[in-house]
């Protein structure tokens, strides 16, 4: 077989893989939406009959609210983190900038994955809120207010999907010895978002857990779609610790003829 025939065959295989990738990507988003609705309905049933969850939610809300009232400076810090640093608008703007950079790098499929994951996460969360229609905590002396319904926490879900996108995309550009630090920052940020929402009295504990769970479901499903594309395109399977596309550190991450042995992967 000539070199030209081999390149043509590879390009045809990539085009077929791209088509399947698109179908899987949007199918994953649809599955995530259905899962959000089912999860919301299940929570309503649990909420109406399972007293331990109600006691846990109410107890956590009261205790953290008293703590916030006793420490105004601490409360101000929580508000800054929740409303500025970890606000969904801030996090989604970061993902949008990352997506534009990926397009500039011609990492088309990775850019599509990042955009669809962020958008699907937002739509799934909104759909679940509309289905469940759960009221936010009503405390005697609230330290913060938030509009809309309570379940799931939009902040928690946006943090989960956004930090997952940032982490899984950028890991190939980070030295191996610094990757555990990146994971720690991402995990602590996601946990911190949930804590601030409960401590400020604008979400129940179960709202935050719901946001985390649905966010992880979206990332897992769209991530599976990306891995399926890599397999269809003849690229090697990647480990989560090295990001979704190790070839991103190369000059042309999705060039025809890229091999599956870690082109441009930086281990130093």
């Amino acid at each position: 077989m000539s070199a030209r025939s081999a390149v043509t065959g590879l390009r045809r295989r990539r085009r077929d893989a791209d088509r399947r990738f698109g179908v899987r990507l949007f199918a994953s988003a649809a599955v995530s939406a259905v899962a959000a609705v089912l999860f919301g309905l299940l929570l309503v049933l649990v909420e109406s009959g399972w007293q331990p969850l109600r006691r846990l939610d109410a107890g956590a809300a009261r205790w953290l609210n008293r703590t916030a009232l006793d420490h105004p400076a601490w409360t101000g810090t929580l508000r800054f983190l929740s409303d500025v640093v970890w606000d969904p608008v801030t996090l989604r703007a970061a993902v949008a900038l990352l997506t534009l950079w990926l397009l500039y790098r011609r990492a088309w499929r990775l850019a599509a994955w990042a955009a669809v994951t962020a958008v699907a996460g937002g739509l799934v969360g909104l759909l679940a809120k509309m289905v469940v229609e759960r009221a936010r905590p009503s405390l005697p002396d609230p330290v913060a207010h938030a509009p809309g319904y309570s379940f799931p926490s939009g902040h928690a879900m946006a943090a989960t999907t956004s930090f997952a996108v940032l982490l899984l995309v950028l890991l190939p550009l980070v030295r191996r010895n610094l990757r555990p630090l990146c994971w720690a920052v991402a995990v602590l940020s996601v946990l911190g978002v949930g804590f601030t929402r409960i401590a400020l009295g604008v979400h129940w504990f179960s709202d935050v857990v719901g946001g985390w769970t649905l966010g992880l479901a979206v990332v897992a499903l769209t991530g599976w779609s990306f891995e399926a594309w890599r397999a269809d395109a003849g690229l090697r399977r990647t480990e989560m610790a090295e990001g979704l596309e190790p070839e991103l550190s190369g000059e042309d991450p999705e060039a025809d003829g890229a091999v599956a042995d870690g082109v441009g992967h930086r281990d130093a």
Side-chain angles (χ1 to χ4, degrees):
M1 180 184 295
S2 67
R4 178 172 294 181
S5 298
V7 171
T8 301
L10 179 59
R11 286 177 175 169
R12 186 181 301 112
R13 183 178 182 182
R14 286 289 180 85
R15 285 196 297 270
D16 292 340
D18 285 346
R19 284 193 290 269
R20 290 192 292 269
F21 168 60
V23 172
R24 287 172 177 144
L25 195 60
F26 288 101
S28 296
V31 170
S32 299
V34 172
V37 174
L38 294 176
F39 187 83
L41 293 174
L42 177 62
L43 181 67
V44 171
L45 295 177
V46 171
E47 198 178 5
S48 65
W50 200 42
Q51 291 301 320
L53 179 60
R54 288 186 174 184
R55 288 195 293 269
L56 175 62
D57 278 340
R62 285 195 300 267
W63 176 67
L64 288 172
N65 179 247
R66 286 195 301 267
T67 304
L69 290 172
D70 293 339
H71 302 84
W74 180 65
T75 304
T77 301
L78 294 181
R79 282 178 173 169
F80 175 75
L81 290 172
S82 181
D83 298 339
V84 179
V85 179
W86 291 329
D87 184 76
V89 174
T90 303
L91 297 178
R92 286 168 183 152
V95 172
L97 290 174
L98 176 68
T99 302
L100 291 175
W101 177 75
L102 290 172
L103 292 174
Y104 171 76
R105 290 291 317 280
R106 294 187 296 178
W108 317 114
R109 302 162 189 90
L110 196 57
W113 174 80
V116 170
T117 300
V119 172
L123 293 178
V124 165
L126 180 61
L127 179 61
K129 283 179 182 287
M130 294 173 63
V131 170
V132 178
E133 296 186 347
R134 190 184 194 188
R136 292 182 183 271
S138 179
L139 301 169
D141 298 300
V143 296
H145 299 276
Y149 295 119
S150 189
F151 178 87
S153 166
H155 277 66
M157 192 163 184
T160 303
T161 55
S162 298
F163 278 105
V165 168
L166 293 170
L167 187 69
L168 294 176
V169 168
L170 296 176
L171 273 180
L173 307 179
V174 179
R175 292 179 180 274
R176 277 192 181 275
N177 60 340
L178 294 179
R179 289 176 187 175
L181 177 61
C182 294
W183 277 99
V185 170
V187 171
L188 289 176
S189 295
V190 171
L191 294 176
V193 170
F195 177 78
T196 60
R197 302 308 285 171
I198 302 170
L200 291 172
V202 294
H203 276 296
W204 303 107
F205 173 77
S206 52
D207 296 338
V208 169
V209 174
W212 288 336
T213 303
L214 293 180
L216 285 173
V218 171
V219 173
L221 287 168
T222 59
W224 170 82
S225 295
F226 193 86
E227 282 295 324
W229 166 76
R230 287 183 62 87
D232 287 344
L235 298 172
R236 70 180 176 87
R237 185 178 180 84
T238 60
E239 299 294 333
M240 186 178 294
E242 61 182 344
L244 282 181
E245 191 166 272
E247 298 85 5
L248 185 63
S249 57
E251 292 183 1
D252 197 352
E254 294 182 6
D256 290 337
V259 294
D261 58 357
V263 174
H265 186 53
R266 189 183 340 184
D267 293 336

